[in-house]
Amino acid sequence: MAILSIRIIGDPVLRTVAEEVTTFGPELAKLIEDMHQTMVDVRGAGLAAPQVGVNKQIFTYSVNGQEGHIINPILVASDDLATAQEAEGCLSVPGLGFKVERHRWVRITGVDKNGHPIDMEATGVLAKCFQHETDHLMGKLYVDRLEGEDRKEALRAIRTANYHDVTAQTVAKRARTVGSAFGAGAAQ
């Protein structure tokens, strides 16, 4: 297993629609395990393949004791939105958090690493996670969903942030504390 490097806003892979997974096997299983381990290492609720530089429709999640991965997800959402109670953040937009209205309920279908069907319904934080990670697979970031003053504030913070320094500090910190491949780039 390896801890993968997380791509930061500005990287073109984060703005590209991910490709459907058509090949299953040991390489896919290793990628999913590495993504899961990376997500756990950075204490994330979810991690999409584009965030580690892989342009494939895959994400992992770990929310309130529910863990897993979904490949080639299809998301259907309720018409009503839940009022955001807590700020949403993103590993690819470090240091920022804003309240984002998301659909109250979702149904997500897809397959697992063995090609077996997945069909789940979710509300609350898990529904928010599924929507957030599916957005990544469509080339969207949560800041794209912001409006008004929140959007202006987020864009201003992104323009003035020095993400190269943030990334370098994170890589240096991990090099001291975690014997991993963080910073070495994601396997394709």
Side-chain angles (χ1 to χ4, degrees):
M1 289 183 286
I3 304 298
L4 306 173
S5 179
I6 296 173
R7 304 297 175 96
I8 303 296
I9 190 169
D11 190 311
V13 73
L14 296 172
R15 296 301 192 174
T16 304
V17 175
E19 298 173 1
E20 186 175 330
V21 173
T22 57
T23 304
F24 295 78
E27 287 181 22
L28 178 65
K30 181 178 180 343
L31 171 63
I32 291 168
E33 183 57 36
D34 289 348
M35 286 174 58
H36 177 79
Q37 191 63 38
T38 301
M39 177 187 66
V40 169
D41 184 65
V42 296
R43 296 179 182 92
L47 184 66
Q51 291 181 275
V52 294
V54 178
N55 189 28
K56 294 289 182 188
Q57 292 183 22
I58 307 165
F59 70 80
T60 59
Y61 64 91
S62 179
V63 175
N64 298 330
Q66 292 185 278
E67 291 187 341
H69 66 276
I70 301 177
I71 300 168
N72 302 332
I74 297 172
L75 189 78
V76 176
S78 62
D79 291 334
D80 59 329
L81 299 175
T83 303
Q85 302 297 318
E86 296 179 9
E88 188 171 324
C90 180
L91 298 170
S92 293
V93 190
L96 294 182
F98 291 92
K99 291 183 178 181
V100 179
E101 285 191 342
R102 296 280 188 178
H103 296 276
R104 181 189 56 76
W105 168 92
V106 298
R107 179 177 185 184
I108 194 161
T109 58
V111 296
D112 68 13
K113 65 185 176 187
N114 299 310
H116 298 133
I118 295 173
D119 188 342
M120 297 175 62
E121 294 183 20
T123 59
V125 178
L126 187 58
K128 180 186 267 192
C129 175
F130 287 168
Q131 292 169 79
H132 181 108
E133 300 310 327
T134 302
D135 275 355
H136 275 299
L137 303 180
M138 298 298 117
K140 287 187 164 196
L141 298 171
Y142 87 100
V143 294
D144 299 333
R145 295 195 175 274
L146 298 175
E147 297 177 354
E149 289 304 312
D150 282 347
R151 183 167 179 78
K152 288 178 188 175
E153 184 181 336
L155 294 176
R156 188 171 29 256
I158 290 166
R159 273 194 310 273
T160 61
N162 188 343
Y163 287 122
H164 294 292
D165 285 349
V166 171
T167 303
Q169 289 169 8
T170 304
V171 169
K173 179 180 176 186
R174 286 195 173 183
R176 289 190 304 270
T177 61
V178 178
S180 72
F182 186 81
Q188 300 251 356

